[in-house]
Amino acid sequence: MRKCLLFIILFPNLCLSQNIYNPYLLYENLGGMYDKDSLRTIDINFYNSDFNNILDSTFYNDPLYRLPAQIIFNNIILDSVAIRYKGNSSYTKCNSVVKKPYNIDMNDIISGQKLMGYKKMKLSNSWFDPTFLKELLATKIYQRYLPTYETNLLKVNTQGNYTGLYLNQEAINKQFLEKHFSEKDGAFFKCDPIDMLIYSPNLEFLGTDSSLYYNSYELKSDHGWSSLVNLIDVLNNTPSDIESVLNVDRVLWYFAANHIIMNYDAYNIGSPHNYYLYQTGDNLFQIIPWDLSESFINASGSTPTGILSDPYSIQPNKPLLNLLLNNQLYRKIYTAHLRTIINESLDTSWFLQNINSLQSLAYPAVISDTEKGYSNQDFFDNISQVSVLNQWISAQPLMPVILARINDLTQNSEINLTPPTISNLNIFGNYISAEVFGADSVYLMLTLSEYNSGFQEIVMNDDGQNGDVVAGDGIYTTNYQFPVNGDEVKFYIRAYNNDALILLPERAEYVFYTYSLTTGNINTSNTNQKNLLNVTDILGRSIIPKYNMPLFYIYDDGTVEKKIIFE
């Protein structure tokens, strides 16, 4: 929060400043379970030495069956944890007898048992990624724009023998919901079908009978089928009401991230699956990404060029994608999100820095991993060239794919349309202003919702009226009576012209400004009600309030205040 030193002559008054809500602080700090800068070891010791044959046989016949085991992690010993194999192709196409992907539940047998605060962990064998880095790098980027699971690298020993290097994936469960939404009791679905050749969680309306959706969506909560059917019904039959049942902006971020990162196994690009839906207390469903293993194309194609996805592609049988991209406002917001991710996250120096540090961290574990399914040289080579895994699958090279994507997107005509510019956001009294150029419309987007949703438009004007000091100077202003009870106000600025749109902050609505009278007050001793008429400099010229200069505030009760606000 900006700290101000306020000098007032005649009367004290309010000095208001905004803070930034940063959801990135929800993620693990150094030393936590998902510390990306450390490479720890987990020892898994099954009580039954025939664990592999048992878990292989139950994978299809009894997929929820778990075997008890002891684990040792970070000098913590836990007995009676419950383990099963997990995954789709990472299990079914894995040639290794022992390097299977694990689903580990600390809480299944002993209620309340946790490992470093977590009830469950998932270990991916990275079977199709010789670099071991693609999903990890992708999650780092997604986390900037929407709630996303955490990952790090982990060495695994089984029955005292080194099994190999794994990707440690945070489970998307009730703990994840509590972490990101401060609640966990809403309708909750994993959107993966029991058979992808027959069923699809593509959100098409099949009818009002909830049983029609049982094979396409997996209920993870105690209730929720009626809520899911209502969401799908509204989406397909009364789409103008979509914002009453869905956090649309969250979906737009999800769609944009999928295309930028080239996650080719997601709703809006490949098969519509690998996502979760959770209904928060405001009755809006939130989309949550899962299984980013096909990011940066990975094993989804044969070459890094010629298969780059079109971010504006309209596809049949995907009603949510088609609704949002065919809506002019949603499409502009989506394009603004694309532009933000390109500018912030397609940074080759960031990728190279992370690749170098993570490869140095992982190298000894990779060299010792004899079950990984590709050569030691592939670990290095797949950063810059294709690695052929078998006669059907090749792993795409990380950096050439990123460079091809940058070149492709920077030449996209719609992304290159010129948006307005927004700067110099200020709050003085009950007036909110920002300097905006190149816009046809400017709005303060504001909500009081505890769920960080339901932002409402308030028009901002540059007409010299209602608190706007000078017409046509590029300073857009609006008046908002902040709640006197200290309730926190959440807001951002949206400006657009006929071509494009921009947000401030650019990661809105995931990131936004916050303000409350309780935290914003420097001095509240002046309780007289009066309205600001004008602000002038020492020469009597009307001026937008600025820091570090003497200003005169002229009120309708005849009083004049001289202020200097130091930033």
Side-chain angles (χ1 to χ4, degrees):
M1 179 177 290
R2 180 181 289 120
K3 296 185 182 298
C4 301
L5 179 62
L6 176 61
F7 290 96
I8 301 178
I9 296 177
L10 296 181
F11 294 100
N13 195 26
L14 301 181
C15 172
L16 308 180
S17 60
Q18 67 277 352
N19 199 1
I20 285 274
Y21 169 75
N22 183 7
Y24 199 73
L25 298 175
L26 298 172
Y27 295 101
E28 284 278 8
N29 297 318
L30 291 176
M33 169 75 88
Y34 298 99
D35 181 353
K36 293 176 175 57
D37 296 325
S38 63
L39 181 57
R40 300 190 183 103
T41 299
I42 185 170
D43 289 276
I44 302 173
N45 299 305
F46 289 95
Y47 303 132
N48 191 325
S49 60
D50 195 32
F51 71 94
N52 189 46
N53 288 328
I54 295 172
L55 292 180
D56 273 338
S57 65
T58 57
F59 183 83
Y60 296 104
N61 300 327
D62 189 5
L64 298 181
Y65 180 83
R66 296 175 182 269
L67 276 177
Q70 178 197 72
I71 62 171
I72 304 172
F73 179 80
N74 203 38
N75 296 318
I76 301 169
I77 301 175
L78 295 183
D79 288 311
S80 298
V81 302
I83 301 178
R84 64 177 175 85
Y85 291 152
K86 78 173 193 77
N88 291 315
S89 57
S90 61
Y91 174 84
T92 60
K93 297 180 181 179
C94 175
N95 295 329
S96 171
V97 175
V98 296
K99 194 178 182 183
K100 305 293 176 58
Y102 287 109
N103 182 311
I104 303 175
D105 193 333
M106 279 68 72
N107 179 66
D108 185 68
I109 299 173
I110 301 177
S111 179
Q113 182 168 244
K114 298 178 183 178
L115 178 62
M116 297 186 70
Y118 289 88
K119 295 181 179 179
K120 184 176 287 189
M121 63 192 305
K122 297 185 176 184
L123 305 181
S124 168
N125 57 7
S126 297
W127 193 251
F128 302 110
D129 179 14
T131 72
F132 287 90
L133 302 181
K134 292 170 185 173
E135 184 172 358
L136 191 156
L137 293 172
T139 57
K140 278 191 171 188
I141 293 173
Y142 276 72
Q143 287 163 10
R144 299 171 181 171
Y145 308 107
L146 71 163
T148 305
Y149 62 99
E150 299 198 59
T151 58
N152 64 355
L153 298 174
L154 188 66
K155 294 185 292 183
V156 176
N157 295 328
T158 309
Q159 306 300 94
N161 299 310
Y162 181 52
T163 308
L165 184 65
Y166 280 71
L167 185 72
N168 182 19
Q169 303 167 308
E170 180 184 10
I172 298 181
N173 55 11
K174 288 191 175 183
Q175 275 195 295
F176 177 94
L177 300 177
E178 185 72 36
K179 173 179 172 179
H180 288 277
F181 305 111
S182 299
E183 59 163 284
K184 58 184 179 181
D185 297 325
F188 184 33
F189 291 88
K190 183 178 182 180
C191 300
D192 258 317
I194 61 171
D195 185 336
M196 289 187 59
L197 297 178
I198 303 174
Y199 305 102
S200 173
N202 60 1
L203 300 176
E204 283 195 311
F205 185 67
L206 305 177
T208 57
D209 183 350
S210 62
S211 66
L212 297 171
Y213 304 89
Y214 289 174
N215 293 328
S216 299
Y217 308 85
E218 180 183 351
L219 180 66
K220 291 289 187 178
S221 50
D222 296 331
H223 63 89
W225 284 113
S226 61
S227 297
L228 178 67
V229 173
N230 181 60
L231 165 69
I232 296 173
D233 189 2
V234 171
L235 168 63
N236 289 271
N237 299 317
T238 56
S240 60
D241 297 326
I242 190 62
E243 291 190 27
S244 68
V245 293
L246 180 70
N247 186 331
V248 171
D249 186 72
R250 184 66 46 81
V251 176
L252 294 173
W253 277 116
Y254 168 71
F255 284 174
N258 286 339
H259 271 293
I260 299 295
I261 304 304
M262 295 159 289
N263 175 19
Y264 280 16
D265 202 16
Y267 182 96
N268 58 321
I269 304 180
S271 300
H273 73 131
N274 281 339
Y275 68 98
Y276 285 78
L277 288 171
Y278 176 67
Q279 188 180 37
T280 44
D282 53 359
N283 294 321
L284 299 183
F285 273 98
Q286 316 288 330
I287 198 163
I288 303 168
W290 174 245
D291 190 0
L292 304 181
S293 61
E294 291 304 309
S295 296
F296 309 107
I297 302 176
N298 199 27
S300 298
S302 57
T303 62
T305 57
I307 54 174
L308 299 175
S309 60
D310 175 7
Y312 297 100
S313 173
I314 302 295
Q315 302 173 36
N317 305 319
K318 294 184 179 180
L320 181 57
L321 172 66
N322 297 338
L323 170 65
L324 299 188
L325 291 194
N326 282 320
N327 179 288
Q328 184 179 20
L329 176 59
Y330 295 154
R331 189 178 179 108
K332 284 185 176 180
I333 297 172
Y334 169 69
T335 301
H337 293 346
L338 287 170
R339 193 180 300 113
T340 296
I341 302 175
I342 293 168
N343 293 336
E344 292 184 350
S345 297
L346 284 188
D347 179 352
T348 55
S349 63
W350 179 88
F351 279 104
L352 291 172
Q353 179 183 353
N354 276 269
I355 289 168
N356 290 336
S357 63
L358 289 168
Q359 280 200 323
S360 297
L361 180 70
Y363 175 74
V366 172
I367 298 302
S368 302
D369 184 349
T370 59
E371 298 289 335
K372 56 184 174 289
Y374 22 81
S375 71
N376 293 333
Q377 193 61 41
D378 283 329
F379 172 65
F380 296 103
D381 288 350
N382 196 227
I383 299 299
S384 59
Q385 64 187 48
V386 173
S387 291
V388 178
L389 305 183
N390 55 47
Q391 60 181 319
W392 302 284
I393 299 176
S394 296
Q396 298 309 303
L398 182 56
M399 287 308 300
V401 164
I402 292 169
L403 291 170
R405 192 48 160 170
I406 293 172
N407 182 65
D408 172 62
L409 293 175
T410 53
Q411 297 184 54
N412 185 284
S413 59
E414 189 161 353
I415 294 173
N416 280 328
L417 292 172
T418 304
T421 62
I422 311 176
S423 60
N424 298 327
L425 173 66
N426 284 301
I427 307 176
F428 287 87
N430 288 315
Y431 294 95
I432 302 174
S433 66
E435 191 170 0
V436 184
F437 294 101
D440 299 326
S441 301
V442 181
Y443 294 98
L444 170 67
M445 305 298 298
L446 183 146
T447 186
L448 294 171
S449 170
E450 63 181 294
Y451 303 101
N452 304 338
S453 63
F455 286 84
Q456 301 297 310
E457 290 183 347
I458 300 176
V459 176
M460 302 181 72
N461 293 303
D462 182 20
D463 57 3
Q465 302 180 44
N466 301 314
D468 184 62
V469 179
V470 179
D473 64 349
I475 308 297
Y476 286 75
T477 307
T478 194
N479 178 273
Y480 178 76
Q481 297 295 321
F482 291 99
V484 296
N485 62 359
D487 283 352
E488 186 176 64
V489 175
K490 305 161 187 181
F491 68 96
Y492 64 96
I493 308 297
R494 176 195 289 171
Y496 54 90
N497 54 36
N498 189 58
D499 293 328
L501 176 149
I502 194 169
L503 308 170
L504 184 73
E506 289 194 53
R507 296 186 191 181
E509 294 175 346
Y510 191 43
V511 175
F512 45 80
Y513 296 108
T514 65
Y515 173 76
S516 73
L517 286 176
T518 301
T519 59
N521 274 346
I522 296 294
N523 190 321
T524 59
S525 59
N526 178 24
T527 58
N528 295 328
Q529 293 293 320
K530 55 187 178 181
N531 297 311
L532 180 67
L533 293 178
N534 198 10
V535 180
T536 69
D537 62 12
I538 58 176
L539 298 179
R541 296 173 298 189
S542 295
I543 191 172
I544 190 71
K546 296 181 178 179
Y547 295 103
N548 306 320
M549 66 181 298
L551 300 171
F552 292 89
Y553 285 63
I554 304 171
Y555 294 90
D556 61 358
D557 65 352
T559 60
V560 178
E561 297 176 356
K562 181 180 179 181
K563 301 181 185 180
I564 304 176
I565 302 174
F566 294 98
E567 185 176 20

